[in-house]
Amino acid sequence: MAKSKSAYFCQSCGYESAKWLGRCPSCNQWNTFVEEVVEKSAAKVPSWKSDSGTSRASKPTRVDNIQSISEERVLSGDQELDRVLGGGIVAGSVILIGGEPGIGKSTLMLQLALNIPGKKILYISGEESEQQIKMRAERITNSPKAECYILTETSTQNIFKQIESLEPDMIIVDSIQTLHSAHIESTPGSVSQIRECTAELLKFAKETDTPVFLIGHITKDGTIAGPKILEHMVDTVLQFEGDRHHVYRILRSIKNRFGAAAELGIYAMHGNGLRQVSNPSEILLSQRDEELSGIAISATLEGARPMLIETQALVSAAAYGTPQRSSNGFDTKRMNMLLAVLEKRCGFRLSTRDVFLNIAGGIKVEDPAIDLAILVAIISSHEDIFISSKICFAAEVGLSGEIRAVNRIEQRISEAEKLGFERIFISNYNLKGLVRDKFKIEITAVSKIEDVFSLLFG
């Protein structure tokens, strides 16, 4: 009888060690090593193949001798998901979707399995029974399609036997932390099991050109549970974000080998499932009956999609001595930098004021083009003077108070004009090559932050 072998794995990064270590030499985390029993299989035959035929070893090929093939994508029927994936689902790709519990990952994947046209989908669940999935399917759609097959199984060996007999066009696994392989003698959800199960599914996807969707759990700090190598192994990593107490959900691309890694999809959660939001600017801009101070509209970009977002600021006297600085959806350090620019270049004394910043809609923005809108919203709240709801901003602010140019300014201007804005503030340096005559919206070009304040508050 073969002797079992044990090893120690870091629960944070997956680093393997022959003995227990107090501190991981890879990620420098303390007390993260856990002993797991592992057993290497003698024959490295893919577990999804029933026969043990020999495979020919790969040989190096000159790059100019490699035959070029056109990339074929499968449309999922979900425009938001197709946009985030870069135009559709690529054959043989492995896609990992992470998000908080109850955010809607399983609902999104079941909708994909039920609505994708002309494809045989295998939905593998290790967390729910067939009856639970059927109840959700009836809630999502009145007539669940017969081409969606449900399999409640956690053993990869049994899963590949069913795959071999069914031959599906697409596979969805809910979730990767529940699977276990017989090649590894450790509990499901451990670092070695997650790595082995993902490797088996990855090899299956690449050799059969079958797309595989993996749903992953996340830890308390928001990262996907399991070793970091899991995100490196897959082709695409998607993050499903949002507040369970709000109706809107955001699908964000973190890594994508077949498209841009900065795309964004927006959904609205209803009783009958997730619904696509085709025009996110309308939901991110609040509908108010009267003009209020501390609100400014900015034109931003998420991937290839232009959006108008609302920046809200509140400036008040510091009630507890030390001023508070807080922001939701925007980097607090960058907000502190912009406040220093206001004090140094414009003379506004905010060192004794509490400053609170919020990006409406619950989204997180890293685009520097919203700098000008943030400064205008802060001064609007400080002086208690409202900004017209027909004015928007698209410019970056430098440390010397200069208004810097931003990329793809024409898309931002077109989005503002489409939504009925009458005036947009941009940088002087964005005028080069810009055809102003084709826009009906008034374009105001400025070079310094003092010019903006004189035009708005002077």
Side-chain angles (χ1 to χ4, degrees), residues 80 83 264-266 277-278 280 300-307 408:
E80 297 295 306
R83 177 188 293 108
L264 196 74
I266 299 182
V277 177
S278 58
T300 184
L301 285 173
E302 286 289 346
R305 165 185 277 188
M307 294 191 302
R408 292 155 67 182

Side-chain angles (χ1 to χ4, degrees), residues 97-319:
I97 300 180
E100 293 184 358
I103 202 67
K105 305 183 298 296
S106 300
T107 302
L108 178 64
M109 288 295 96
L110 186 57
Q111 282 188 189
L112 171 67
L114 293 173
N115 297 325
I116 189 167
K119 297 294 180 181
K120 187 188 297 183
I121 313 297
L122 177 61
Y123 188 97
I124 303 168
S125 177
E127 300 177 344
E128 297 176 294
S129 64
E130 295 178 351
Q131 289 75 21
Q132 289 176 309
I133 300 174
K134 176 66 181 298
M135 289 173 59
R136 188 191 305 130
E138 291 176 344
R139 177 170 54 87
I140 293 174
T141 177
N142 294 327
S143 57
K145 296 184 178 180
E147 288 300 308
C148 176
Y149 295 84
I150 307 299
L151 175 63
T152 56
E153 182 60 64
T154 57
S155 172
T156 57
Q157 281 67 37
N158 297 335
I159 288 173
F160 285 125
K161 288 181 182 178
Q162 299 300 325
I163 290 175
E164 195 173 6
S165 61
L166 183 63
E167 296 183 353
D169 299 315
M170 189 178 301
I171 296 174
I172 299 172
V173 178
D174 184 12
S175 63
I176 187 61
Q177 278 80 10
T178 62
L179 300 189
H180 68 89
S181 173
H183 298 307
I184 302 293
E185 290 186 358
S186 59
T187 58
S190 61
V191 171
S192 55
Q193 281 288 2
I194 293 176
R195 184 169 52 193
E196 179 68 20
C197 295
T198 304
E200 292 180 7
L201 290 167
L202 180 65
K203 193 167 186 177
F204 162 77
K206 299 304 178 185
E207 294 188 7
T208 61
D209 285 338
T210 304
V212 177
F213 284 84
L214 305 177
I215 297 178
H217 298 167
I218 66 169
T219 59
K220 61 182 180 180
D221 57 352
T223 59
I224 296 178
K228 194 67 176 178
I229 193 175
L230 176 63
E231 299 182 35
H232 292 284
M233 293 170 66
V234 300
D235 299 309
T236 305
V237 179
L238 306 180
Q239 188 77 17
F240 210 34
E241 304 171 353
D243 192 340
R244 287 180 294 172
H245 304 291
H246 289 78
V247 67
Y248 297 112
R249 305 286 190 268
I250 296 173
L251 184 64
R252 190 185 302 273
S253 173
I254 300 176
K255 168 192 173 183
N256 193 356
R257 289 174 179 165
F258 308 109
E263 289 293 344
L264 196 74
I266 299 182
Y267 295 87
M269 176 65 82
H270 297 289
N272 55 352
L274 292 162
R275 293 295 172 261
Q276 305 173 43
V277 177
S278 58
N279 191 357
S281 298
E282 294 182 351
I283 68 167
L284 296 176
L285 300 178
S286 63
Q287 307 295 326
R288 53 183 187 272
D289 298 329
E290 57 182 350
E291 301 286 1
L292 302 173
S293 62
I295 296 177
I297 310 300
S298 177
T300 184
L301 285 173
E302 286 289 346
R305 165 185 277 188
M307 294 191 302
L308 273 294
I309 62 172
E310 182 177 292
T311 58
Q312 303 172 347
L314 177 62
V315 180
S316 61

Side-chain angles (χ1 to χ4, degrees), residues 8 11 42-43 59 78 103 123 139 163 186 210 222 237 257 281 289 331-332 367-368 374 393 395 414-415 448 450 456:
Y8 292 87
Q11 296 297 105
K59 295 182 179 179
D78 187 333
I103 202 67
Y123 188 97
R139 177 170 54 87
I163 290 175
S186 59
T210 304
V237 179
R257 289 174 179 165
S281 298
D289 298 329
D331 187 13
T332 306
D367 188 3
I374 288 174
F393 306 87
S414 299
E415 182 71 9
K448 293 184 178 180
E450 297 92 326
L456 291 174

Side-chain angles (χ1 to χ4, degrees), residues 26-82:
S26 177
C27 63
N28 296 325
Q29 296 292 320
W30 288 91
N31 299 324
T32 57
F33 277 89
V34 176
E35 183 180 11
E36 297 179 5
V37 180
V38 295
E39 181 182 356
K40 301 292 185 181
S41 59
K44 297 300 291 182
V45 179
S47 59
W48 55 273
K49 285 186 177 180
S50 58
D51 59 349
S52 57
T54 59
S55 59
R56 184 177 299 176
S58 301
K59 295 182 179 179
T61 307
R62 274 184 51 167
V63 65
D64 54 348
N65 293 334
I66 300 175
Q67 184 179 3
S68 300
I69 57 175
S70 59
E71 184 181 76
E72 296 183 0
R73 293 178 181 264
V74 177
L75 296 180
S76 65
D78 187 333
Q79 296 180 359
E80 297 295 306
L81 180 61
D82 289 339

Side-chain angles (χ1 to χ4, degrees), residues 336-361:
N336 291 333
M337 183 195 74
L338 295 176
L339 292 175
V341 172
L342 280 180
E343 290 220 18
K344 178 71 174 180
R345 304 299 177 187
C346 304
F348 289 99
R349 301 303 175 191
L350 300 173
S351 57
T352 60
R353 298 280 182 170
D354 291 338
V355 180
F356 303 96
L357 181 68
N358 179 52
I359 305 297

